[in-house]
Amino acid sequence: MTLQFSATALFAHHGGFGINVNPFETNLINLIIVIGVLVWFLRGFLGGMLERRRQAILADLSDAEDRLTRATAELTRAQGDLAAAQQKAETIRRDGVARAAAVREESEKRTIEEMARLKEDAVADLNAEAARVSDLLRREAARQAIEKALASLPKKLDAAAQSRLIDQSIRNLGNA
């Protein structure tokens, strides 16, 4: 009994095309046994490999999810920090603008006060000078009037009246 399958023997034996249903001649039993053994042995080997691969993929996915969660938390924290920094920068900018306005107003106020003080000083100096000149003119006018009166009095008055007038004028000048 040969276990060799030959297409020519099959055609020659039947005289044409046909199917050989004899399990021993077609090695069907041997094929079933080999396939069964392969499935039984490979199931454990391939199954173990596939299970290890599945576990590795699940671990990688879990790790990726953890990293995504941490990255999301970091992003949220960074966005919060950015918002806080932007808010602080806006506060600093507003404070700077307000401080610049206050400095400008203070400077303008001091300038106006200084100008007013200078004007008051100038007016006071002018008034003092006017008073000094007025006093000087009044004294000069009085002196000239006295000299003129003294020059014209000897012709109009006698010696006793002239002496009384001079004494009175001296007293008036002493009171002034």
Side-chain angles (χ1 to χ4, degrees):
M1 187 155 105
T2 62
L3 295 177
Q4 187 176 14
F5 177 71
S6 168
T8 55
L10 183 62
F11 289 131
H13 185 327
H14 293 284
F17 180 74
I19 295 178
N20 186 359
V21 288
N22 184 354
F24 294 112
E25 286 183 7
T26 59
N27 284 325
L28 188 60
I29 293 176
N30 289 338
L31 286 174
I32 290 174
I33 291 172
V34 168
I35 290 173
V37 168
L38 282 176
V39 168
W40 186 70
F41 279 117
L42 291 179
R43 182 179 351 162
F45 176 73
L46 288 177
M49 279 180 39
L50 290 175
E51 182 61 26
R52 283 190 301 275
R53 183 66 185 144
R54 186 176 80 76
Q55 291 299 328
I57 290 171
L58 288 176
D60 288 345
L61 286 174
S62 176
D63 183 47
E65 287 175 354
D66 290 344
R67 284 185 285 144
L68 175 64
T69 303
R70 283 193 307 265
T72 303
E74 288 292 321
L75 176 63
T76 303
R77 186 177 56 77
Q79 286 173 337
D81 291 348
L82 175 63
Q86 286 174 336
Q87 194 172 25
K88 187 170 185 173
E90 181 61 26
T91 301
I92 290 170
R93 187 193 65 76
R94 279 193 313 260
D95 289 348
V97 167
R99 190 171 297 127
V103 166
R104 186 184 72 240
E105 287 177 20
E106 181 66 25
S107 176
E108 289 173 356
K109 181 180 173 185
R110 276 190 267 155
T111 301
I112 291 170
E113 288 172 355
E114 186 66 22
M115 289 172 59
R117 188 186 64 75
L118 288 174
K119 185 177 179 182
E120 287 173 4
D121 288 348
V123 167
D125 287 346
L126 184 63
N127 288 340
E129 187 64 23
R132 187 184 68 76
V133 169
S134 176
D135 187 46
L136 185 63
L137 288 175
R138 192 176 43 232
R139 285 182 189 215
E140 184 63 28
R143 188 186 61 76
Q144 285 178 357
I146 290 173
E147 284 178 3
K148 190 176 184 182
L150 287 176
S152 68
L153 278 180
K155 298 176 195 167
K156 296 182 182 175
L157 295 176
D158 63 355
Q162 191 176 12
S163 179
R164 271 193 327 259
L165 184 61
I166 290 174
D167 287 340
Q168 185 182 2
S169 294
I170 289 174
R171 278 190 303 245
N172 285 341
L173 284 177
N175 290 338

